[in-house]
Structure formats: structure tokens, C-alpha cells
Amino acid sequence: MSHRLLLFNVLISNSIYTSFSLHNRYFFFLIIIIMSQYLSTLSFDLINLLEKADDHNVLIEVGQEKTFRAHSSILRARSEYFHTALSNDWLRKEGDMIIFKKPNISYNAFNIILRYIYSGTIYLEQLEDLEIFKLIEASDELCLFELFNHVQDYLITYKVTWLQQNIFSVIQVAFDHESCEKLRKFCLNIINENAWNFFKSEELLHISETVISRLLKKDDLGIEEIDIWGFLIKWGIENSDVPAESDLENFSSQDFSNLEKTLHNLLPLIRFFNISSKDFYHKVWPFELILPKKLRQDLLSYYLTGEEPKYTEIQVARITPKNLDSEIISSKHAILISSYIEGKNNNSTSSSLPLTIPHSSHLIKDDGVNIPYRFKLIYRGSRDGFSFESFHKNVDNHGPTAVFIKIADSYEIIGGYNPIGWYSYGNYIATGDSFIFSMTDLDDEDISLLQFDSEQQQSFGTMLKISKVRPYFIDGAIFDTQFHGPCFGYGDIWFGHKSRPRYGSCTKVYYEQNIRDNEEEFYVEEIEVFQIIENNFL
């Protein structure tokens, strides 16, 4: 962030600018250039004042006894924190020099912040990821709100991978600082996408009670209550002076007492009445001694007689996991693609038809409809980046996948099923089981124009076109190289411009028909890839 860029963004977004004539806009931009040059010179002069002046009157000790010299007037003018802190009479002085200590801020972080205080500029792209992250805490503590918000936005926009890889450290900071609302929401979205892996991680055992409490208050953790209970017990044992859970039979009354003290504030957040009786008996009741007496009475009465609890309110059940996490498709789309994968749709190999919902006794439920496979999201363009590198980084070596592409400025969804998987193979992959498709949702008016009987109309709502690879072109069914996106056939679905990864095209060559009405290049609004996992446990 520089003064020049900040000034330009502010002025260009001003409604006054849009009212200028073309002639006046020329002078407007001239003013911007002059002002930005002035501010650039001013920033340079202020940095020189910090580095070369001989009239500093504040000595700031940070980190491991590192020191900085600064001017109290500038610190107080730029930071509410310093305005208050440097006004106190109790500050230690040595002659005319004020001695100020900040041992909880690292040398590198404070060096960056001090230069920002003087010059008003900072270039985050020149810093290491960890250095940028440390600025969150430091800028919040020093009441540098503009810098704090800028760093938060920068991390969320440009450092998504780093935040994901360091989610436990990040979420601790996000919950320790109330101002980190954006970062907190971002962390919760990451957790929601893969809650199971988050909660089973060993790193969970070392986060604070505050974070655990905030998480347990959420209605949409996405995992079953009994599993949440198991994770909580594991966290409690790790943070108490008690034996391991495997040694539960040897727990003394003091061990249970110690565990109860650790979990005292968290136990009311467990929704015990949403746990099955079997799980309650085998997994909760062994820890009965850590439960409040009235809660124990209510639980026994509820599970043994079915009576409503007298002392305890039954909390609303959490939202349990969904089989489909998508910004593009709904369950009905997944059902139809599943039916083609499973071979249950007996229509012609190449067809254009409205969606019908197949019925099968071994399908699993999801939001009131059935999906015979688990669709596990492994790549989303808006989340992971639209580059071919990001595509292959996320989808390679995951086995069978389904690709869904939302075309911009249309209701069109296209995609393809790859039964082999992506591996950056560097050539074509042969398979006779792949297919490509397009989907268009129909509104009520469109459906009314189609000649279907009343019973069928209730099932319709999506026009689907399926196209399978031609038998004599199965050697060219999938084109899989690191320099391309999701390519099917010899241009049937094609993403071949590495510098323009969101532009694709569809031209009928190796597949039986073109899935689009035209062969013009299209722009991708969103793309998602799902790993297809058979639900063979049913």
C-alpha cells in the first residue's frame, strides 16, 4: 500500500470524477500525478527524519532488548496507543529521553510498523508471510487501525494457502483480537470446509479454551455431536493433570475432579440430548463424574424413560455434514450425474433430456434427496485460484472426478466425468467411461412449454445434455498435462491458454455431440472439481 495508489483509488472512486468532462479529466489526472509525487517525496523525507535525525526523544525497547529511537510528537499524532502511553507521568526517563518498553512485539514487526508510522507507506509483498501475520497483533495493539485492516485484507486476498496451512495459529490470533472479524470469518469458513480433519488434528489440543468455547457455540460445525464430545474429552485430558484416556479404568476421583475443572465452562456447550442412547451409554456415561448432578439426572431420565429434562434446556441440534458443498450445483444435479456414473440411466448414450430423479434402495440421503456417491470438493477456482497450476495441485492423484464449470453471464453449467483421474500425465488418457455434459435450469414458464404429463413435470427442472466419447476415440478421451486445465477429447472441452486460464471452448471432435449450441470461446465464472467416492459402506 503506497500513498500514490491509495490516493488514486480514493479519487477515482469519487462520484465527482464521473461528472467531469473528458477535458477536465486530463487535469484531474495531472493533479493526481503532482500530489502523488509530493506525497512520495514527503514519505522519503520522513523516513530520513526517522533514520538520520539527532533530536529523537523516545527510546523504544522491543523483543530481545533491541532498541529504536523515535520522536514522541510523531508517535502520539499517528497512534492512539502512543498518544495515551506517552502522556503518562510514570514513564521512565533518562535525561530528556523517554524509555518505553514493548517486549511482546518482535524487532522485525516493530521496524516495519515504525517506518509505516513515519511514512504512511508499507509494501507487504516484500515481506515474508509470517512477518505479515505478526503485523496483525502488533498493529491492533498499537491502535493503527488503517494498517490493521489493510493487513487483514491482504492476508485473506493473497495468502490463502498460508492461512490454510497455519489455521491453528491464525484462529488463535483471530479469536484473541475482537477486531479480527474478517479473519475470524475466514478461519471459520476454512474449518467448515473440512471440520473433521480440523478437530482430529493434534494441533487442536494446544489451542486455548476461548477458541474451543467459540467453536462449540456454533450451530454449523458440520460434525456429529458425539464426535465433538470425543474431541472435547481428548482436549480436556491433554490440558489436565490426568492419565491418558486409554487408562480410564484407573482414573481416581481426583483425576475426574481435575478433568471437570478443565472442562467446567465447556461442558454446558455440548448438546447431550442430540446424542444417540447407544453413544451416550458407551462414550459419555463413563465420564459421568465430570457432569453436573442435575444434568446427570436429566440425562438418565431422558434416555431411560424418554421424559423431558427438568433442569436442562434441550439445545437445537447442530447442522450435520452435507454430501454436497458447491457454489454451482445442487443435490438434484449430483443425482443425475451419479446415475450416469452408476449406469442406472438407460437412455441413449447421447441425449438431451430434462432431469428425472432415479430411485434406488441403496442411495444415501442428502437434504431430502438421494445421491449414490459422495461428492467431495477438492478444488474451487474462486477459493484456490483459477490457474492451471492450482487446478493440478488440488485435483491430481485423487482418482475419479467430476468437473463442473459455470459459464459467465449465462445459466449454463458444463462439465465432464473423468473415471481415471488427473495426474499431469503429459498426454492423452484412454477410457471409454468418461462423458461430458451441459446443464441448464428451467424456470416454471420454460417447463410449461414442454409436453410432459403432470407427474413427470414435478421431477423436471434441469435440461441436461450428455455426450459420451466415441468408441473409436477412447484413446483421446482425456487430455491431461500440467500446461492445460480440465480438457476432454480434442477440444470437446478445452482449456489451453495458460495466460488466460478462465477462457475455454467446446468443439465436437472425439465425443458424440457438442454439449453447447455454439463453439465460441466462453469465460468461466466458477469451476469446481469433486472427487467421486462410492458409498460402499451402505
Side-chain angles (χ1 to χ4, degrees):
M1 179 183 66
S2 67
H3 274 314
R4 184 175 301 180
L5 180 60
L6 181 61
L7 175 66
F8 179 81
N9 287 339
V10 170
L11 293 178
I12 201 70
S13 63
N14 195 296
S15 59
I16 297 176
Y17 167 79
T18 60
S19 66
F20 286 168
S21 66
L22 184 62
H23 178 73
N24 287 336
R25 289 182 187 183
Y26 170 80
F27 294 102
F28 182 81
F29 279 111
L30 186 61
I31 292 172
I32 291 178
I33 293 172
I34 295 171
M35 291 181 66
S36 64
Q37 290 175 342
Y38 168 76
L39 290 172
S40 179
T41 302
L42 178 61
S43 295
F44 180 78
D45 291 341
L46 288 170
I47 288 295
N48 276 337
L49 178 66
L50 170 65
E51 295 176 344
K52 299 178 180 180
D54 57 3
D55 60 343
H56 302 99
N57 66 332
V58 181
L59 185 67
I60 306 170
E61 298 178 0
V62 301
Q64 301 297 319
E65 298 182 353
K66 300 283 187 178
T67 60
F68 292 91
R69 294 177 179 271
H71 300 84
S72 62
S73 56
I74 293 179
L75 295 178
R76 292 177 63 186
R78 294 279 288 148
S79 164
E80 291 182 19
Y81 174 87
F82 281 117
H83 180 79
T84 301
L86 296 178
S87 300
N88 293 322
D89 294 333
W90 48 262
L91 286 172
R92 183 166 66 92
K93 292 186 177 182
E94 293 181 3
D96 294 330
M97 187 70 71
I98 300 171
I99 310 300
F100 192 81
K101 294 188 176 183
K102 289 299 299 177
N104 59 323
I105 298 181
S106 71
Y107 174 83
N108 287 339
F110 195 81
N111 182 43
I112 294 166
I113 284 176
L114 190 57
R115 295 176 71 85
Y116 166 77
I117 288 175
Y118 271 73
S119 69
T121 60
I122 188 169
Y123 299 93
L124 296 179
E125 64 275 7
Q126 299 175 5
L127 305 178
E128 296 293 329
D129 296 341
L130 184 58
E131 288 180 322
I132 298 172
F133 179 65
K134 286 182 177 180
L135 291 177
I136 285 281
E137 290 186 284
S139 59
D140 188 38
E141 181 176 345
L142 298 178
C143 300
L144 298 170
F145 303 117
E146 182 187 30
L147 176 60
F148 173 83
N149 290 325
H150 179 64
V151 172
Q152 200 174 189
D153 290 340
Y154 183 87
L155 286 169
I156 293 171
T157 304
Y158 299 106
K159 298 296 178 180
V160 173
T161 300
W162 188 88
L163 292 175
Q164 292 171 332
Q165 293 172 346
N166 296 273
I167 184 63
F168 290 94
S169 299
V170 175
I171 198 170
Q172 185 66 65
V173 170
F175 278 107
D176 284 346
H177 296 262
E178 285 301 318
S179 302
C180 285
E181 182 179 359
K182 291 182 181 177
L183 192 59
R184 197 158 49 245
K185 288 181 179 179
F186 181 85
C187 289
L188 292 175
N189 286 336
I190 292 176
I191 294 170
N192 285 346
E193 288 179 0
N194 205 345
W196 179 263
N197 285 339
F198 175 85
F199 276 90
K200 75 177 183 180
S201 172
E202 293 297 317
E203 292 184 75
L204 179 76
L205 304 178
H206 307 295
I207 63 177
S208 70
E209 178 183 325
T210 300
V211 175
I212 295 290
S213 176
R214 296 286 288 270
L215 290 175
L216 293 185
K217 291 176 181 178
K218 286 175 57 60
D219 292 327
D220 58 346
L221 280 178
I223 51 180
E224 301 291 342
E225 199 67 31
I226 190 58
D227 294 321
I228 295 174
W229 167 257
F231 294 135
L232 181 62
I233 288 296
K234 188 175 180 181
W235 180 88
I237 289 175
E238 176 69 21
N239 291 278
S240 304
D241 184 19
V242 298
E245 186 176 0
S246 58
D247 200 27
L248 184 61
E249 293 182 357
N250 297 321
F251 267 44
S252 65
S253 58
Q254 185 60 48
D255 291 331
F256 280 111
S257 177
N258 291 341
L259 183 59
E260 190 281 329
K261 289 180 182 177
T262 300
L263 297 177
H264 182 79
N265 296 323
L266 300 173
L267 290 173
L269 303 178
I270 296 294
R271 306 178 187 190
F272 292 101
F273 296 95
N274 300 141
I275 295 174
S276 70
S277 57
K278 181 179 179 180
D279 284 334
F280 172 75
Y281 177 76
H282 288 291
K283 299 178 181 180
V284 177
W285 195 244
F287 294 93
E288 62 169 307
L289 293 180
I290 72 172
L291 303 177
K293 183 178 179 180
K294 290 184 177 180
L295 175 60
R296 290 205 303 269
Q297 292 175 356
D298 279 342
L299 287 170
L300 283 177
S301 174
Y302 180 81
Y303 284 108
L304 294 177
T305 69
E307 295 179 0
E308 292 295 308
K310 293 182 179 179
Y311 309 106
T312 312
E313 180 182 356
I314 297 181
Q315 295 172 286
V316 176
R318 298 184 203 272
I319 300 172
T320 52
K322 293 184 177 180
N323 290 305
L324 190 63
D325 173 17
S326 177
E327 300 292 336
I328 300 178
I329 63 171
S330 64
S331 297
K332 67 176 182 178
H333 302 115
I335 294 168
L336 188 59
I337 298 304
S338 293
S339 73
Y340 275 89
I341 294 172
E342 198 173 40
K344 289 190 174 296
N345 195 307
N346 295 319
N347 291 286
S348 62
T349 58
S350 183
S351 60
S352 178
L353 69 161
L355 169 65
T356 59
I357 299 180
H359 299 283
S360 176
S361 60
H362 70 278
L363 305 183
I364 61 173
K365 293 283 280 184
D366 178 38
D367 266 353
V369 291
N370 298 315
I371 303 178
Y373 292 87
R374 180 185 173 202
F375 280 50
K376 180 182 179 183
L377 182 69
I378 56 175
Y379 171 73
R380 176 177 289 149
S382 61
R383 181 191 69 187
D384 303 313
F386 287 93
S387 68
F388 294 162
E389 179 183 4
S390 181
F391 169 80
H392 284 284
K393 176 183 176 182
N394 286 278
V395 308
D396 281 4
N397 305 304
H398 280 81
T401 59
V403 179
F404 293 88
I405 300 160
K406 176 70 172 65
I407 296 177
D409 300 322
S410 77
Y411 296 103
E412 233 181 319
I413 299 169
I414 66 169
Y417 171 62
N418 178 350
I420 307 300
W422 307 92
Y423 301 93
S424 294
Y425 179 61
N427 210 327
Y428 279 98
I429 296 176
T431 175
D433 295 325
S434 66
F435 58 86
I436 59 177
F437 55 85
S438 65
M439 299 176 175
T440 304
D441 282 344
L442 306 174
D443 58 27
D444 292 339
E445 183 178 348
D446 292 328
I447 293 174
S448 67
L449 298 176
L450 300 175
Q451 300 301 312
F452 306 125
D453 60 51
S454 58
E455 182 178 352
Q456 288 176 316
Q457 287 184 32
Q458 296 176 11
S459 298
F460 297 153
T462 295
M463 186 67 74
L464 174 79
K465 185 182 288 185
I466 290 283
S467 182
K468 289 193 173 183
V469 64
R470 301 184 191 189
Y472 38 92
F473 281 129
I474 61 174
D475 287 345
I478 310 292
F479 189 62
D480 179 25
T481 83
Q482 62 178 318
F483 306 109
H484 292 74
C487 293
F488 292 78
Y490 190 67
D492 299 82
I493 292 183
W494 200 256
F495 289 86
H497 301 286
K498 195 171 184 179
S499 62
R500 301 167 69 236
R502 295 179 72 170
Y503 287 86
S505 61
C506 295
T507 304
K508 181 177 78 72
V509 183
Y510 286 176
Y511 283 72
E512 293 182 339
Q513 67 172 325
N514 199 331
I515 55 173
R516 301 194 71 216
D517 293 333
N518 62 71
E519 298 181 354
E520 295 177 1
E521 190 177 59
F522 57 82
Y523 181 76
V524 173
E525 178 181 317
E526 183 63 280
I527 179 171
E528 294 176 341
V529 180
F530 296 87
Q531 181 183 10
I532 305 300
I533 304 170
E534 185 176 0
N535 287 295
N536 53 13
F537 53 83
L538 295 173

